[in-house]
Amino acid sequence: MSAGHVAPKSMYYMVFGALIVGTILTVAAAKVDMGPLNNIVMLAIACTKATLVILFFMHVRWSSRLTWVVAMSGFFWLLILFGIGMTDYMSRGWVPGTLR
């Protein structure tokens, strides 16, 4: 049996550093009032961090195309759910007399 792909430790350290920077950016974005864009910015940062974890720590980057299809379909489904949730959240103030 083949040992498979062996990634250098420096790559894992760089990805870990990027995840730490993403966490710092998320905390900084939470402290700045951007109105309705706050959730969008934080979800974009979270999706970027999730992509890094999927590609490097779960070794999808070096996997077969079928693994890529399965990973991307899960990620696509997550984006659909985020979109449905955001349409509900963004449209709550449209009807007069409803609670926000």
Side-chain angles (χ1 to χ4, degrees):
M1 179 175 255
S2 174
H5 177 78
V6 177
K9 287 183 182 179
S10 61
M11 183 209 57
Y12 287 112
Y13 292 137
M14 289 176 55
V15 172
F16 177 70
L19 291 173
I20 295 297
V21 168
T23 302
I24 293 169
L25 285 174
T26 303
V27 171
K31 295 190 183 293
V32 175
D33 185 23
M34 293 179 272
L37 291 178
N38 255 7
N39 290 335
I40 296 171
V41 169
M42 286 194 257
L43 284 174
I45 294 170
C47 288
T48 304
K49 289 169 51 177
T51 302
L52 287 174
V53 169
I54 290 168
L55 287 177
F56 295 103
F57 289 124
M58 295 175 68
H59 298 276
V60 171
R61 182 174 178 202
W62 300 284
S63 296
S64 67
R65 292 295 168 211
L66 180 60
T67 305
W68 273 88
V69 169
V70 171
M72 287 291 113
S73 64
F75 200 67
F76 182 67
W77 181 248
L78 180 66
L79 290 178
I80 289 172
L81 291 176
F82 280 159
I84 291 170
M86 288 303 288
T87 56
D88 175 50
Y89 178 75
M90 297 299 277
S91 65
R92 288 187 181 206
W94 289 1
V95 179
T98 59
L99 297 177
R100 196 148 174 54

